[in-house]
Amino acid sequence: MSARDTIAAIATAAGAAGVGIVRLSGPGCRAIAGTLLGRPPEPRYAHYVHFRDADRSLIDDGLLIFFPGPHSYTGEDALELQGHGSPVLLAQLLRRCMALGARPARPGEFTERAFLEGRLDLAQAEAVADLIAAGSEAAARAARRSLEGEFSRRVDTTLEGLTALRVWIEAALDFPDEEIDFLAAPELGQRLQAVAAGLAALRADAARGKRLVDGLHVVIAGAPNVGKSSLLNVLAGEERAIVTDVAGTTRDLLREGIRLDGVAMTLVDTAGLRDTHEPVEREGIRRAQGELAKADLVLAVLDDSRPDLPLPEMDVVAPVLWLHNKADLSGQAAHAEDRPDGRHLWLSVHTGEGLDALRQALRSAAGLGEGGEGAFSARARHLDALARTAAALERAAAQLHRGAGELAAEELRQAQDALGEITGRLDADALLGRIFGDFCIGK
């Protein structure tokens, strides 16, 4: 991409106003504006203009607004042409701009240029796409907070903490003859613990932000005939799963997408977990265990009327919400308890008692619960970078404990590098191309 060419993107805005927009960015915008207007444009002023072709034939009537850099979205000279929303007229106007020196924009190129010009960091640039794709008010608010820099500020605060640790260790290594062993100072350990705690909180908030953007992957698991398929049907609002009294009816994974307060959730009904020699059912159980490993939340369904039924064996890392179904048969009132293994809810899928509490728990797991107003949007690559940062920080602590200052400093450098990927502190052309390629043409 040349840093000196002028790009143009077309976007039509449907509605009662019937407005269509052509946007341009680059050093040639002022000249193009002057040609279309017939005189030099005034900055940030809405000029009424007759858009004409090279032969002076009329294309359309509309408004021309020129934004001189760096005070524009991209940080470059930018031009916005507003006309009628007819695709034919907009195509003519776009061709006229291209004849005057513009070219079509690549997907995401406007936001990419804003990043390269320092108008946005990488996390903010990605938040633009998240804002456009937001499927709920909560997701839109989270994307807006990232766009305003909330996520980036949290990352920068952690980076400052890592930098302070590196400075301390490097100084201790540069002056080894000092009487005081600075690497063994309690304050260094306290600072490292503070950075680790802040990073852990950031990871938790970023995971919540990712759920708001991508939706929640919920896996329903449990022994046969405890009400898993019935629960799926109730949450989906229709009969999606076959429900019978025969154990092992569900053999394969059944997925159903729902929206709760606008947030997407994928519910996965699984085969009942039990010891069996039946080959088809065993394959269903194997697939169920594989799905559990990918879950954001596991709904472990129990039959409260059969307390003798053993708990299902589940190999999971996601949070587990224990649902004591058939409380109407056991005589238990719907209620909730917090136990060491997680939250337990007593409910009845048959009568509907306790389902409101379950839906509220799903809202909270999706990032819509208490504190949801402070959420920011995040992506899978952000969580990966944060995980690598945490791992490097943990290794640095172990090296310090062994008195290996040089190795600890190297681990902290790796932590900084991983964290810097989030806001784009590192030069990673391949990463930029992959990120901005997902944007729409008009951004």
Side-chain angles (χ1 to χ4, degrees):
M1 178 187 68
S2 170
R4 300 302 300 168
D5 59 2
T6 296
I7 59 175
I10 183 169
T12 58
V19 177
I21 300 174
V22 174
R23 294 187 177 94
L24 303 94
S25 179
C29 286
R30 188 184 296 269
I32 294 175
T35 299
L36 294 175
L37 186 60
R39 64 182 188 277
E42 296 182 33
R44 293 174 292 280
Y45 180 82
H47 301 273
Y48 178 74
V49 62
H50 300 291
F51 298 120
R52 296 186 180 276
D53 216 332
D55 60 1
R56 303 302 298 167
S57 61
L58 183 65
I59 297 175
D60 196 6
D61 298 325
L63 298 178
L64 180 153
I65 308 174
F66 173 67
F67 303 92
H71 305 295
S72 69
Y73 177 76
T74 60
E76 306 171 313
D77 285 354
L79 181 62
E80 186 170 291
L81 309 176
Q82 300 180 11
H84 294 91
S86 164
V88 175
L89 297 179
L90 286 169
Q92 284 183 271
L93 185 54
L94 182 61
R95 284 197 299 269
R96 176 60 173 149
C97 292
M98 292 169 63
L100 292 173
R103 65 165 176 81
R106 294 180 287 102
E109 190 169 350
F110 275 60
T111 303
E112 182 178 355
R113 287 187 171 216
F115 166 73
L116 294 174
E117 291 290 327
R119 298 286 291 173
L120 303 169
D121 65 32
L122 197 51
Q124 289 174 299
E126 290 171 297
V128 175
D130 294 338
L131 184 61
I132 294 170
S136 68
E137 291 183 6
R141 287 194 298 268
R144 172 59 64 183
R145 288 181 65 85
S146 279
L147 183 56
E148 292 172 350
E150 175 64 21
F151 189 16
S152 302
R153 284 189 290 271
R154 297 275 299 275
V155 169
D156 288 341
T157 297
T158 306
L159 275 171
E160 290 172 4
L162 290 172
T163 301
L165 289 173
R166 282 191 66 187
V167 168
W168 183 302
I169 295 174
E170 296 287 356
L173 294 175
D174 288 342
F175 299 96
D177 297 330
E178 293 292 326
E179 294 182 1
I180 301 175
D181 185 1
F182 289 101
L183 293 180
E187 186 180 351
L188 177 59
Q190 293 168 2
R191 288 192 179 189
L192 194 147
Q193 291 177 2
V195 172
L199 178 60
L202 179 58
R203 291 181 68 188
D205 289 344
R208 181 176 55 161
K210 180 181 179 296
R211 291 194 295 270
L212 282 174
V213 173
D214 295 343
L216 193 67
H217 189 72
V218 182
V219 177
I220 305 173
N225 273 6
V226 295
K228 301 186 301 299
S229 297
S230 297
L231 177 63
L232 174 72
N233 290 338
V234 167
L235 293 176
E238 57 180 314
E239 297 294 324
R240 296 292 294 156
I242 298 174
V243 178
T244 73
D245 293 330
V246 179
T249 298
T250 301
R251 300 296 186 92
D252 204 352
L253 304 176
L254 178 60
R255 304 175 190 273
E256 182 67 17
I258 67 170
R259 282 192 173 273
L260 192 61
D261 291 351
V263 175
M265 296 185 186
T266 300
L267 303 177
V268 184
D269 185 19
T270 62
L273 303 177
R274 65 173 178 175
D275 291 329
T276 179
H277 297 292
E278 205 281 318
V280 177
E281 188 177 357
R282 287 181 63 183
E283 175 61 18
I285 294 172
R286 186 192 68 80
R287 295 185 182 187
Q289 294 288 5
E291 198 69 20
L292 286 169
K294 300 181 292 183
D296 294 318
L297 176 68
V298 175
L299 300 182
V301 185
L302 310 173
D303 187 342
D304 202 51
S305 67
R306 299 173 58 192
D308 58 322
L309 196 65
L311 296 178
E313 294 185 6
M314 300 183 301
D315 185 14
V316 298
V317 295
V320 178
L321 183 62
W322 298 91
L323 304 182
H324 297 255
N325 188 29
K326 304 182 184 181
D328 55 317
L329 299 180
S330 67
Q332 285 276 3
H335 68 285
E337 291 182 12
D338 289 320
R339 296 181 178 179
D341 59 348
R343 190 163 182 80
H344 289 245
L345 295 180
W346 276 258
L347 52 83
S348 170
V349 174
H350 177 66
T351 66
E353 190 177 9
L355 289 178
D356 285 344
L358 172 58
R359 292 188 177 95
Q360 183 55 47
L362 290 173
R363 292 186 186 95
S364 298
L368 296 174
E370 184 178 352
E373 291 300 320
F376 51 79
S377 62
R379 296 185 168 199
R381 79 167 191 92
H382 302 150
L383 298 187
D384 175 67
L386 289 169
R388 286 185 283 116
T389 302
L393 187 59
E394 186 175 343
R395 292 194 299 269
Q399 297 294 357
L400 277 178
H401 183 71
R402 289 193 287 267
E406 295 89 347
L407 297 178
E410 172 60 20
E411 295 293 353
L412 289 175
R413 184 194 63 78
Q414 292 186 23
Q416 284 182 301
D417 288 348
L419 199 57
E421 294 176 12
I422 295 177
T423 53
R425 307 300 186 204
L426 303 179
D427 183 17
D429 292 337
L431 179 64
L432 298 185
R434 185 166 69 250
I435 290 171
F436 290 112
D438 293 336
F439 281 58
C440 64
I441 295 294
K443 279 296 181 183

